[in-house]
Each structure stands twice: as C-alpha cells, then as structure tokens.
Amino acid sequence: MSQLPYKPKPGEIPTNPGVYRFRDAQGRVLYVGKAKNLRARLSNYFAPLSSLHERTRRMVTTATSVEWTVVPTDVDSLQLEYMWIKEFDPPFNVRYRDDKSYPFMAITLADEAPRVMVTRNRRIPGAKYFGPYPKVWAVHDTIDLLIKVFPIRTCSDASYRKAMQSGRPCFPGQIGRCGGPCSMRVSVEEHRAIVDDFVAFMAGGDQRFTRALTARMREASAAMDYESAAQYRDKLQAIDAVLNKSALVLASDTDADLFGIAEDELAAAVQHFVVRGGRVRGVRATTIEKEIDISGAELVDQVIQRAYGDAASADIPRQVLVPELPDDAGDLEAWLRSRRGKNVSIQVAQRGRKAELLKTATLNAQQALMLHKTRRTSDYVARSQALTDLQEALDLAEAPLRIEGFDVSHLSGTNVVASMVVFEDGLPRKDQYRSFGVPETTDDTDSLYQVLMRRLAYLDRPDEEDEVPDATADGEVVTARKRPRFAYRPQLLVVDGGQPQVAAAARALADAGHEEIALCGIAKRLEEVWLPGEDYPVILPRTSEALYLLQRLRDEAHRFAISHQRRRRKRDITSVLSEVPGLGDARIKALLRHFGSVTALKNASPEEITALPGIGPKLAESIHAHLAG
C-alpha cells in the first residue's frame, strides 16, 4: 500500500503549532504528538511507506484517521499534549512503569494536625512526599532523628481523635514519640508552625535551622542555662546525623533535578535525582517501554513533561539537568516557569560536580535497564509467554525450548571470533556456551557459515562411550553411552543480523543436512526479525515478551563474543611480551596497567617505557624493538 486513504489533501493541514491524534477504526486514540508546524510534522507520517520506520509504518497503517487541534503558542501545545496522553493512554506513545517498591516519607498537610508517616501510597490527598528511600528502615531512622528537632504528630488518626475527645495524651505522646496537639503539649496552631519548619528543612532549608539552633545554644550557654543549651546541642546533633545520611554533592545553595537516562531500541530507564540544598533528597526510578522509535531528545522531552505535569510549584527546581537538550527546550522552560512562578533552566551538565552526578544517575539508569530486561526474561510467566509468542510469530511446530544464538566479532577485520550462547526454557545455560576462532575468512557471513558448519557437525557425531562400574550380579562390565552437551539439538537458531546473515546461516543448515532446525535473525537497528527466504521482516510488538527474549539472547551472544576476543587479545600480547628476556608476569601486568592498552604500549617510545618503575633503558629498548618487530 503506497498511499493511506485518510491522508489529508495538500493545504488542508495548517502550519500553526498544535497537537495531533491518530485514531483506529474503533475511534481509539493510537498516538498523540505535538508540533510547532503541524503541516511539516504530519507530512513525515505520510511519506512513502517504504521510507518509514517499521513501527511508525505499523502505527499509520493501523490508523484510519488523523485529527489536529491548533493552539496559540508552542507552550500551549505542550500542555495539551500532556493532557491528552494522560487522558487517552495511547498504545504507540511511550509507556511508563514507575518503580513502586520504594517507600516515601509523607506529611499529611491536609489534616488538622499533619502527621509524618512511612508509606508507599502516593495518592494521599494533600500529602507532601519526600524520597523515595532505598529501605524502609532508612525512612524510620530519618523520622526518629527529625522529631527530636521538630516534634510533630506520629500517631494514627484513630489515636488522635480519641486523645482530642478524651483530653488524655495519645500513647505515643506519653512516651515522647508524638508531638502533636494530641500530646497535650502544643496547640493546633503551634503544631502547624512546627510542621512548616519540618517541611522546610526536608525541602533543603537545613542551613537556616542549623544557624538558628547554634545561636540559641550559645545564648543559653552564655546565660548559664545549661539544660536548654544541652537540648539545643542534642537537636544539632540530630540534624547533623540526618545530613550525614545524604552527603553534600553540590553547592549548598543548589536546587536541581538530574535525569540519568539509559535506553535501547525497546525500552529506557530513567533515574531522577532530586537535589535540594546541595544534597540528594530522593531518587525516583522509572522504566519506559517504547513502541514507536523516538530520538534521545524526544525521550527527554517526554520525561520532563511527565515529571512535572502534575507537580506542585514547590517541587519544580530552579535547574533541570538532562543528558541531551530537547528540540523545544525553550518552550519547556516557559512551561515550567508558568507552573513554578519563577525561572527554570534546562541544561546539559558539561563538566564539574554536576556532570559527575549526572554520570552517576546515568550509570544507575543503565543498571536499572539491565535489571528490568533480566527480570522480564527470567520471570516464569513472561518466559512461557515469550516461547509461545515465538512459536506463533515464526510459525514453528513446537515452542523452542532450546535456542542457540550466534554472533561474530572482529577487530578491524582481524582476530575474528564467534560465540554461541544457549537458552533453555527461556533462561541462559552458561555452562553450554561455546566460543570459536575463525582463522581465515572473507566477511561476517563467511565467518558465520564456517562456525555454524562446525557447530552442526556435532549433531551427527556418534555418542561418546564411557565405562560405568559393574552394577550387575554376574560381574559384567556395562558400557553406557553419554550424549555430550554440545550434541543437543536446538529447536531454533538465532543469528545477529538481517537478510545476509540469515541467508548464510540457512546455507549452512542446508549443507549440513539440518534444515529441520528453525532459523531467524534479529537486526539491531530496527529490531526486525528476519526469516530465511523472506523479503520482509516479522515485526513483533515492542512490548512483546518474545522480542525481549530475542534481544536478550542477541545481546548475550554479542557480550560473550566481545569477552572472548578481549581475553584472546590480552593472551596474544602477553605471549609476545613474555618472549622478551627479563620481562616476567608482574612487569607485563604493570606495563599493560600503566599504558592502558596494547596500542598505547606499541606507540610508546623507549624513554616513556623507562618511566615505569623497575624497567631500565636496556629492557625498554628490548620491549620497544620486540613490539615493533
């Protein structure tokens, strides 16, 4: 199909800023997007279908209509896009999964006497949240310390009502664990002032309270009121203990949010570091599932919208640090400024402590993305669904309980190695991984053909014979046959690549006489699944468990091939250096550690090698000459 029947006529689409929606035949909204120029943006979707990204093509061919709404400004389009995504939850927009496992500290500001509590419920009306915290005990420890400085209510609502009706202190108040009006020590108004100080401290105003308490302690000491001075000292120590739990990572006047993002073709993980008063006050983790391919800048745009779409003005910081500026950064700043009531800047941290903290957030995001993919692959229900989906998508006679993945790796055409990884019942079997050296090859497809021919040859070998000790009464020696692990027959072979790699693998299966084994390839750029002899790939949904399994298998094969190649290169250079007289293992390790790479060592002059402790000029000349030769 070269044309879409619902494509608007030339000139029908306005050039104004606005928001557009694609709908299917049932009227369901499939995708919501914004544009500074609606005509220019929508024309991209109505380009020839062959030029579209596979998943964009699937969206526009699933849709049966497109509509748009013109707005006065680009900022208005931001607000409308956010509202519609939230209202319609379109399947082709990015989908967010918040990590709900972390506890928060909540202050129930809507109550007559606000209470501080530990909760995982983010929907308490009027509550102010801080965190999340890594462990429940970390929140309890922080509360225990802070109520020594800001004694606010900790008892339950039932205890509060009973105490206020009876005129008797609540039980936590009797033992000094509750400082609300129910303790009969303060009025509702006095308690509200203490709550305001508690919230201000948690929001980053620690310097003000530290200075005030220090001044009061000194005044009490000067007046020889040592009991009061000791109380102020204890409060200062409690504040110090709280602050020591969150180290000062930026300047003490810094209020900023940092977003570390890690992504692949299918998903992304976001680590949102909340920095107030120069300290990390909380970390929010989000996993994103991508249906349509979007750029890094577009992803940052979506992340910012979602982070602050429903945020209170006090929760929007002066500075937002991101790994990449979105195209409409100015419009986003204007939108945030309108919500905060003050200036907000969106920046990329280039150097210094902010860049280091952003790198830490990104590292956490990378680990979260890896964990997300691992959990999906290892979950029994998800694994069963993945194998069933694979069977249906590839039209297999049975679910592929044993899958073998292959990848070829080389260094500028040399030192070619290949890997074979094995997944059984959707889980990796690392004891059955294999690596191959490829001595002579013309290209990746030839390497893949060679490796598969070698691997498939094991399927035709006779079973190995092992003598088993006598287990019979007549003393006869019994010979048992054991099948080597490498000879187990896979139901599916997966190669890293597209049509050329699949064709080479299919040729190997035919030449080895094992065409009964199913075959597919997964191309990294678009995550397409290619089958032998097909002109078009199989497109699995981005949220498909089968696609996650194939991606994990492909990535594991690539990782294993790279690891083998690195070990081989290290072994090769170590063996070369070991031929130098007077150079032992310790000095070889010191050389490689000092120069960081084999290339740097080869390019080093004898004088630079001599700079290493324990290596004199004569030995340095020998090393240099040996490597040059």
Side-chain angles (χ1 to χ4, degrees):
M1 181 173 58
S2 59
Q3 293 292 336
L4 298 165
Y6 63 90
K7 176 182 178 181
K9 295 178 181 179
E12 283 188 344
I13 308 176
T15 57
N16 307 67
V19 181
Y20 55 91
R21 293 177 287 186
F22 283 88
R23 291 182 182 269
D24 65 10
Q26 288 73 43
R28 180 181 59 155
V29 175
L30 298 176
Y31 185 75
V32 173
K34 68 178 183 302
K36 294 185 176 183
N37 183 323
L38 282 167
R39 182 182 300 174
R41 183 71 183 93
L42 284 173
S43 65
N44 294 333
Y45 293 100
F46 298 111
L49 292 179
S50 59
S51 67
L52 294 180
H53 185 284
E54 286 289 343
R55 301 185 186 282
T56 304
R57 185 189 310 157
R58 188 157 63 88
M59 188 274 288
V60 297
T61 54
T62 304
T64 58
S65 65
V66 62
E67 56 193 39
W68 53 84
T69 301
V70 173
V71 295
T73 67
D74 297 333
V75 176
D76 291 325
S77 68
L78 272 169
Q79 295 173 331
L80 185 58
E81 181 193 33
Y82 174 77
M83 287 172 51
W84 277 354
I85 289 176
K86 189 175 179 182
E87 178 182 353
F88 299 115
D89 191 22
F92 282 90
N93 283 88
V94 296
R95 305 175 74 84
Y96 297 86
R97 293 186 179 182
D98 285 327
D99 191 333
K100 298 182 176 65
S101 62
Y102 290 135
F104 286 81
M105 178 194 299
I107 297 93
T108 57
L109 295 179
D111 293 348
E112 176 188 63
R115 167 194 180 193
V116 60
M117 59 189 293
V118 180
T119 182
R120 300 177 196 270
N121 179 11
R122 294 297 310 276
R123 297 183 178 181
I124 301 174
K128 176 73 174 178
Y129 291 91
F130 295 100
Y133 290 79
K135 302 291 182 183
V136 170
W137 58 261
V139 203
H140 285 297
D141 282 357
T142 301
I143 291 174
D144 289 345
L145 290 167
L146 283 179
I147 60 175
K148 295 178 181 178
V149 186
F150 309 103
I152 68 174
R153 182 166 80 93
T154 60
C155 68
S156 67
D157 291 342
S159 294
Y160 176 75
R161 287 192 297 268
K162 183 177 179 181
M164 298 302 285
Q165 290 170 1
S166 65
R168 296 180 58 187
C170 63
F171 178 71
Q174 296 175 33
I175 61 174
R177 290 277 303 153
C178 179
C182 47
S183 68
M184 306 303 163
R185 296 191 185 97
V186 294
S187 66
V188 171
E189 293 74 18
E190 291 170 336
H191 179 259
R192 175 65 70 165
I194 299 172
V195 169
D196 291 342
D197 286 345
F198 187 108
V199 172
F201 176 85
M202 287 301 300
D206 43 77
Q207 294 297 321
R208 173 167 65 91
F209 294 104
T210 301
R211 288 194 296 268
L213 286 172
T214 302
R216 290 176 187 174
M217 182 181 68
R218 289 173 177 169
E219 289 173 2
S221 180
M224 292 186 286
D225 184 0
Y226 298 120
E227 184 177 350
S228 296
Q231 291 176 351
Y232 292 131
R233 179 204 61 203
D234 293 342
K235 290 183 177 182
L236 279 170
Q237 289 175 348
I239 284 180
D240 286 341
V242 171
L243 295 180
N244 287 336
K245 291 178 181 294
S246 59
L248 191 68
V249 292
L250 299 175
S252 59
D253 60 346
T254 301
D255 290 344
D257 283 0
L258 294 89
F259 292 90
I261 300 176
E263 60 174 321
D264 60 19
E265 293 78 6
L266 300 178
V270 180
Q271 291 281 317
H272 176 185
F273 281 23
V274 180
V275 180
R276 300 294 183 267
R279 301 176 189 273
V280 178
R281 301 289 184 172
V283 178
R284 298 186 178 98
T286 306
T287 304
I288 297 172
E289 293 178 350
K290 299 189 291 185
E291 185 60 32
I292 285 184
D293 187 55
I294 62 174
S295 66
E298 290 173 319
L299 184 59
V300 170
D301 183 313
Q302 294 289 319
V303 167
I304 291 176
Q305 284 190 55
R306 188 175 187 279
Y308 303 114
D310 294 326
S313 59
D315 292 334
I316 301 176
R318 288 177 292 181
Q319 194 174 48
V320 177
L321 298 173
V322 294
E324 182 178 354
L325 277 181
D327 296 333
D328 57 348
D331 299 331
L332 282 168
E333 287 178 338
W335 177 63
L336 291 174
R337 183 167 59 248
S338 68
R339 297 189 61 80
R340 183 174 185 253
K342 300 177 184 178
N343 282 338
V344 179
S345 65
I346 301 175
Q347 300 175 3
V348 176
Q350 302 285 359
R351 61 184 68 85
R353 295 165 72 181
K354 290 179 181 177
E356 287 298 318
L357 187 58
L358 186 61
K359 185 186 294 185
T360 301
T362 303
L363 178 61
N364 278 269
Q366 291 169 348
Q367 294 174 343
L369 180 61
M370 182 176 64
L371 181 61
H372 167 71
K373 293 167 65 177
T374 302
R375 281 175 174 170
R376 282 195 65 166
T377 307
S378 59
D379 178 75
Y380 177 75
V381 176
R383 293 200 326 264
S384 300
Q385 187 64 50
L387 295 175
T388 302
D389 290 350
L390 265 183
Q391 180 182 356
E392 294 176 358
L394 306 184
D395 195 22
L396 305 178
E398 58 182 349
L401 298 182
R402 180 183 171 96
I403 308 174
E404 295 179 0
F406 293 84
D407 183 43
V408 175
S409 178
H410 60 83
L411 182 65
S412 301
T414 63
N415 204 7
V416 181
V417 299
S419 65
M420 179 189 106
V421 299
V422 179
F423 276 40
E424 287 188 351
D425 197 22
L427 289 175
R429 287 290 306 271
K430 296 191 176 183
D431 61 318
Q432 297 189 32
Y433 286 12
R434 295 292 184 271
S435 57
F436 305 84
V438 185
E440 295 182 4
T441 183
T442 55
D443 56 24
D444 282 355
T445 57
D446 177 61
S447 302
L448 186 61
Y449 175 83
Q450 290 188 45
V451 168
L452 282 173
M453 289 297 291
R454 288 159 60 184
R455 187 271 170 274
L456 294 170
Y458 278 86
L459 298 178
D460 301 319
R461 291 188 179 183
D463 295 344
E464 294 178 349
E465 293 186 355
D466 287 336
E467 286 194 352
V468 179
D470 177 23
T472 62
D474 56 9
E476 181 185 358
V477 175
V478 178
T479 300
R481 294 182 181 274
K482 282 189 174 181
R483 192 168 182 80
R485 292 172 179 172
F486 203 44
Y488 291 160
R489 185 181 305 274
Q491 282 84 43
L492 175 65
L493 298 184
V494 179
V495 297
D496 181 13
Q499 280 179 304
Q501 286 76 18
V502 171
R507 186 160 50 91
L509 284 170
D511 292 349
H514 286 289
E515 292 178 280
E516 78 283 358
I517 299 175
L519 167 68
C520 74
I522 177 168
K524 186 161 183 68
R525 190 174 70 89
L526 301 178
E527 299 297 346
E528 307 159 327
V529 179
W530 289 91
L531 298 178
E534 297 292 335
D535 294 329
Y536 296 98
V538 175
I539 303 300
L540 296 172
R542 290 237 164 182
T543 54
S544 163
E545 299 297 342
L547 187 54
Y548 266 88
L549 176 60
L550 288 179
Q551 188 193 41
R552 175 94 193 282
L553 186 111
R554 187 267 319 280
D555 293 346
E556 182 72 353
H558 183 67
R559 179 199 65 78
F560 191 58
I562 292 296
S563 299
H564 175 61
Q565 189 183 70
R566 285 174 178 164
R567 289 194 302 270
R568 185 171 174 175
R569 289 206 303 266
K570 184 177 180 181
R571 185 171 63 250
D572 289 346
I573 191 61
T574 301
S575 62
V576 170
L577 289 173
S578 64
E579 297 172 1
V580 180
L583 201 58
D585 291 341
R587 284 177 175 173
I588 290 173
K589 290 179 181 178
L591 277 168
L592 295 176
R593 185 168 56 248
H594 177 77
F595 288 97
S597 69
V598 174
T599 303
L601 178 57
K602 286 183 176 180
N603 294 333
S605 66
E607 291 75 19
E608 291 172 324
I609 298 175
T610 307
L612 193 68
I615 296 182
K618 187 175 180 180
L619 182 55
E621 287 285 355
S622 299
I623 295 170
H624 183 266
H626 203 81
L627 290 175

